[in-house]
Amino acid sequence: MSTIVMSAVWPLQGMSPAQKAVLVSLADQANDDGVCWPSVGTIAMRTCLSERAVQAAIKWLVSVSILRVSERSGRSTYY
C-alpha cells in the first residue's frame, strides 16, 4: 500500500459513502506508483457493496477525474 496515495484520499469530500469506500479500497491496494488492478468482485467483497454499486462508483470517480481506468487487452483492468 502506498501511504501517499491513501493519505490523499481521506480529505476528499463530495462523494457518496459507496464512492468513498471504493476509492479507499483502491488506494489501499495501490503500489507506490498509485496503480492497482483488483477485480470488481474483489472490490465488492472488500467494501461490502454489490458489483453493480462498485461499477457505478468507479464510473462516477472516472467522470469527475479522481480515478483513471486503463484496460489491457485480454488482461485485467488497472486503476
Side-chain angles (χ1 to χ4, degrees):
M1 167 190 72
S2 173
T3 304
I4 295 169
V5 172
M6 185 61 87
S7 65
V9 168
W10 291 118
L12 296 176
Q13 299 295 311
M15 63 186 77
S16 72
Q19 293 158 349
K20 184 77 160 233
V22 169
L23 187 58
V24 167
S25 179
L26 291 170
D28 183 52
Q29 296 176 85
N31 63 20
D32 289 340
D33 295 323
V35 177
C36 62
W37 47 92
S39 68
V40 168
T42 297
I43 300 167
M45 182 187 67
R46 289 171 53 102
T47 59
C48 299
L49 296 168
S50 69
E51 290 190 10
R52 186 166 292 239
V54 169
Q55 291 166 336
I58 289 171
K59 184 176 180 178
W60 183 85
L61 291 165
V62 169
S63 75
V64 296
S65 301
I66 292 174
L67 182 67
R68 284 184 296 177
V69 176
S70 297
E71 296 189 18
R72 298 180 283 187
S73 180
R75 300 183 71 185
S76 61
T77 300
Y78 63 99
Y79 307 94

